[in-house]
Amino acid sequence: MLEQVAEGVQVHRSELLENNTVVVHGRDGVLVVDAGITGAEMSCLAGDLRELGRPVVAGFSTHPDWDHVLWHAELGEAPRHGTARCAASLREVLSEPDWKARVAEGLPPEIAEDTPLALYGLVTGLPAGTTRLPWDGPEVRIIEHTAHAPGHAALLIEERRVLVAGDMLSDVFVPMFDDTGDPVEGYLAGLAALEGVADDVDVLVPGHGSVARGEEVRARMALDRAYVEDLRDGRECADPRVVSPKPGWEWAGAIHEGQVRRLAGRDA
């Protein structure tokens, strides 16, 4: 189930939402980024890693959305990291007595019965301002920003020239704004942070959708920037993810429509 995208870096894509789980090989085991969304997929991932003789020695969640903070017992008890803000957001969710029911209500019905919540959100926040992931493997730079969700972070696996972008730079989802602060300027700041490392990237793994390589990396960045600036400036959307979506992804256009309404409401 694992596809190699660079030396020592593999990806598994979920069937339903095309979530990408990233596996980075280190000296004594692997780092698992955004572990997956169904029990069956995560169990299969764990089995594949056992066959390779590669234990999970660290985990990382790029941000606190439900589909990026799941875990499976078969993956073991390795420390699961996130930014300080990501972990704080999850602690707030888990502090509610009915958190499990509320999370379950938001799951896609197709996978609700196979989405394990027992280890949901158990992410330890790294000290604020941490820029390097603490693990015994290739250097991983943490690029935290304010786009999409509180404490969102991308990971740059420097010696492998791979950027793990979280929920940005997708070819199936348009940019999705955080509802706090100034969502447009926050998103543009996040994009600027990723654009700042583009010269160091050969492979881009988005949170959802296909992997980008070579010149397509900058093309994805340009597409996201054009979408955000068009919404900011009130121009008609010509983004292919909205006007000519991938077959089966027509429903994702509702995200764009909702954002147009929210931004209009803010300006009213």
Side-chain angles (χ1 to χ4, degrees), residues 25-199:
H25 290 257
R27 186 175 66 182
D28 298 322
V30 300
L31 162 70
V32 173
V33 184
D34 295 344
I37 61 174
T38 72
E41 288 173 343
M42 287 185 276
S43 178
C44 184
L45 171 63
D48 286 352
L49 294 174
R50 282 194 300 271
E51 289 185 10
L52 293 172
R54 306 296 287 161
V56 179
V57 297
F60 191 88
S61 290
T62 56
H63 61 290
D65 286 355
W66 72 268
D67 54 329
H68 296 263
V69 298
L70 295 163
W71 197 255
H72 196 284
E74 291 186 38
L75 293 170
E77 299 180 353
R80 297 161 56 191
H81 303 293
T83 66
R85 289 187 65 195
C86 172
S89 178
L90 289 166
R91 284 196 301 272
E92 185 175 344
V93 171
L94 295 174
S95 69
E96 298 293 333
D98 62 342
W99 73 265
K100 189 173 289 188
R102 293 173 64 180
V103 170
E105 287 176 1
L107 297 176
E110 300 95 323
I111 62 169
E113 293 186 0
D114 189 29
T115 300
L117 298 181
L119 300 175
Y120 179 92
L122 301 181
V123 171
T124 299
L126 296 169
T130 299
T131 59
R132 299 283 168 175
L133 187 68
W135 85 300
D136 190 11
E139 286 282 335
V140 177
R141 190 193 313 178
I142 299 170
I143 305 171
E144 185 176 355
H145 52 73
T146 58
H148 182 64
H152 195 297
L155 300 180
L156 177 62
I157 309 162
E158 293 179 322
E159 61 191 89
R160 307 296 186 234
R161 297 182 62 85
V162 176
L163 179 65
V164 182
D167 272 1
M168 299 176 70
L169 309 180
S170 170
D171 60 341
V172 290
F173 283 129
V174 295
M176 296 175 283
F177 302 143
D178 182 18
D179 287 333
T180 61
D182 186 330
V184 170
E185 292 308 315
Y187 209 98
L188 290 173
L191 276 175
L194 301 188
E195 290 165 342
V197 300
D199 287 344

